[in-house]
Amino acid sequence: MNFSELKEKDKEYIAGTYNRFAVDIYEGNGATLRSADGKEYIDFGSGIAVNIFGVNDREWKDAVISQINKVQHACNLYYTQPQADLAELLCKKTGAKKVFFSNSGAEANECAIKAARKYSFDKYGEGRYEIVTLKNSFHGRTLATLSATGQPAMHKYFMPFVDGFSYADPNFEGVSGLCGKKTCAVMLELVQGESGVNPLDKEQVKKIAEFCKKRDILLIVDEVQTGNGRTGKLYCYQNYGIIPDIVTTAKGLAGGLPLGATMFFEKCEHTLNAGDHGSTFGGNPVACAGALSILKRIDDQLMLEVQGKSDYLKTHLSRIKNVLSVTGMGLMLGLEINGNAREVADRCLKKGLIVLTAKNKLRLLPPLTIGKGEIDEGLRILNEVLSE
């Protein structure tokens, strides 16, 4: 099947919810992908921060195949070792006390929302259920997580939304000003990815965390995109010197398989009990086996390498003509450019580089293990396209 035939089949049978780029991903190694016709692409997107060790990673494949050869699925009425081992590893690496596994970031955030409301209900009774999120945030596409998302442009068509969310300016004054007697939680992305890769100010976040702690308002940190080494620490909150009450993650956790996790710290470790929440596929043993192979290798040495690659990229990106600013942390970078981001991404693709967009910016999320040669080739293409 050639590319034109593939596009026609896609158009005929798949719901038109994606504005796809004109390339088919067929195979690859590391941070280099290939289409079915053999053309190579440097991958500065990693499937939106999912393939954090690139593609065809041998250790990850061995772990997944080994588990597939045992059992591919067991429902959560039974015990499986990969799930228990992964929960233990997450808790030991973060200080969390309990983990709930789901299939995606949206589901991880749904769980966090339910847990925050139940924590307040158990302790204070009815009426304390409101959650403050930030303007320009993105927390998912289910009705509750879309309601939590602070982007009016995304609040079309699907009314009525879930009640109990308000959207603050991304600073201490904005958040504290919206918190009242009905507030049970504050939910933050420490780097707002979908709205342009914008990090929150560290001192402002610390003030928000202290404010929440004094008032017994749970602090939820959404690490769906920032987590699993993406920002140069295992989880981004570790860059900020805070301890949240709930942390959510997904995307890169299982290295390419669907897996979300909601981590509960001491205050709410016992909030959810039997029957309060559930998932058929959450914590699937194959996905957990893949995640174990990833999480075991996200160590201090790798994080130093990510920080070094980040500094290298920021230095060279800032020198490219028509790059106005570079934002972000680690290997989660946003480029404000003099031009249309989607058009630039299309031109990069034609020259063999995959980049993403976020609002009016280019968004770069390469695999954490990307090599210097691949980085330099990507920079060369970006320089060529942006200098045109």
Side-chain angles (χ1 to χ4, degrees):
M1 182 184 300
N2 62 37
F3 184 51
S4 295
E5 291 170 333
L6 174 59
K7 285 199 296 182
E8 284 303 311
K9 181 177 284 191
D10 183 288
K11 183 178 180 180
E12 183 172 359
Y13 294 109
I14 295 179
T17 55
Y18 303 107
N19 184 18
R20 299 194 197 275
F21 287 93
V23 64
D24 62 308
I25 305 301
Y26 182 71
E27 62 183 5
N29 288 284
T32 299
L33 303 177
R34 282 182 291 277
S35 57
D37 64 6
K39 182 175 179 179
E40 291 193 341
Y41 300 85
I42 302 299
D43 184 12
F44 272 21
S46 61
I48 314 184
V50 170
N51 299 327
I52 62 172
F53 281 16
V55 296
N56 258 321
D57 177 70
R58 172 51 59 185
E59 188 169 333
W60 179 85
K61 287 199 298 183
D62 287 346
V64 168
I65 292 168
S66 175
Q67 182 58 45
I68 287 173
N69 286 333
K70 295 173 184 173
V71 61
Q72 79 274 25
H73 173 73
C75 77
N76 283 306
L77 298 175
Y78 314 108
Y79 299 92
T80 64
Q81 186 172 340
Q83 188 178 121
D85 287 346
L86 179 59
E88 178 187 34
L89 190 57
L90 281 166
C91 288
K92 286 187 173 180
K93 280 179 170 279
T94 64
K97 301 297 184 180
K98 303 284 186 184
V99 182
F100 177 87
F101 290 114
S102 52
N103 306 288
S104 67
E107 290 180 42
N109 285 335
E110 285 270 351
C111 178
I113 290 165
K114 287 178 68 175
R117 288 182 169 181
K118 186 171 186 293
Y119 172 86
S120 258
F121 183 91
D122 290 345
K123 194 167 183 179
Y124 300 100
E126 294 184 7
R128 195 177 187 266
Y129 63 90
E130 294 179 354
I131 296 176
V132 175
T133 68
L134 300 183
K135 294 177 181 177
N136 294 316
S137 59
F138 180 80
H139 297 292
R141 295 185 183 273
T142 65
L143 273 175
T145 56
L146 195 59
S147 301
T149 293
Q151 298 189 49
M154 302 188 76
H155 291 174
K156 298 178 185 178
Y157 314 125
F158 310 113
M159 289 76 74
F161 288 99
V162 177
D163 187 28
F165 295 95
S166 57
Y167 317 111
D169 290 326
N171 52 48
F172 171 73
E173 288 75 16
V175 172
S176 60
L178 286 183
C179 288
K181 293 181 178 179
K182 294 183 178 180
T183 306
C184 68
V186 170
M187 190 173 189
L188 308 176
E189 297 167 282
L190 297 176
V191 181
Q192 294 185 314
E194 300 298 323
S195 62
V197 196
N198 300 307
L200 302 187
D201 179 82
K202 291 184 179 181
E203 292 307 313
Q204 295 287 308
V205 169
K206 286 181 179 178
K207 289 176 69 175
I208 292 169
E210 186 61 28
F211 175 88
C212 290
K213 185 177 180 180
K214 287 179 178 178
R215 288 157 180 80
D216 197 23
I217 295 171
L218 296 184
L219 180 60
I220 304 169
V221 176
D222 176 345
E223 299 252 15
V224 172
Q225 190 169 151
T226 58
N228 310 301
R230 177 57 54 186
T231 64
K233 295 287 187 181
L234 178 60
Y235 290 103
C236 190
Y237 74 85
Q238 295 166 331
N239 289 306
Y240 283 76
I242 62 170
I243 302 295
D245 298 301
I246 302 175
V247 173
T248 63
T249 192
K251 288 194 181 290
L253 178 59
L257 293 174
L259 185 65
T262 308
M263 292 177 272
F264 301 104
F265 289 70
E266 186 172 4
K267 186 178 284 188
C268 47
E269 65 175 301
H270 300 300
T271 296
L272 295 182
N273 300 305
D276 288 337
H277 200 45
S279 172
T280 296
F281 291 104
N284 170 273
V286 177
C288 287
L292 279 164
S293 81
I294 296 290
L295 198 61
K296 287 175 180 176
R297 289 181 284 162
I298 302 178
D299 56 17
D300 291 343
Q301 179 60 40
L302 178 62
M303 292 301 89
L304 287 174
E305 292 172 9
V306 168
Q307 293 164 24
K309 292 171 186 177
S310 177
D311 292 341
Y312 184 83
L313 275 165
K314 287 178 179 177
T315 297
H316 288 277
L317 289 167
S318 65
R319 296 172 179 168
I320 294 176
K321 183 180 178 181
N322 290 316
V323 171
L324 305 178
S325 67
V326 182
T327 60
M329 288 185 184
L331 292 179
M332 182 179 180
L333 301 176
L335 272 63
E336 182 187 7
I337 60 171
N338 183 18
N340 181 282
R342 175 70 190 213
E343 291 176 3
V344 170
D346 283 328
R347 296 208 305 272
C348 286
L349 191 65
K350 291 176 181 177
K351 294 179 181 291
L353 175 66
I354 292 174
V355 297
L356 304 168
T357 62
K359 299 297 185 187
N360 62 334
K361 290 184 179 181
L362 295 181
R363 180 170 38 156
L364 310 183
L365 300 164
L368 307 187
T369 51
I370 189 171
K372 184 176 182 298
E374 292 165 316
I375 291 175
D376 287 342
E377 177 62 10
L379 287 169
R380 183 193 68 76
I381 294 172
L382 273 170
N383 183 63
E384 184 177 322
V385 170
L386 287 168
S387 297
E388 290 174 350

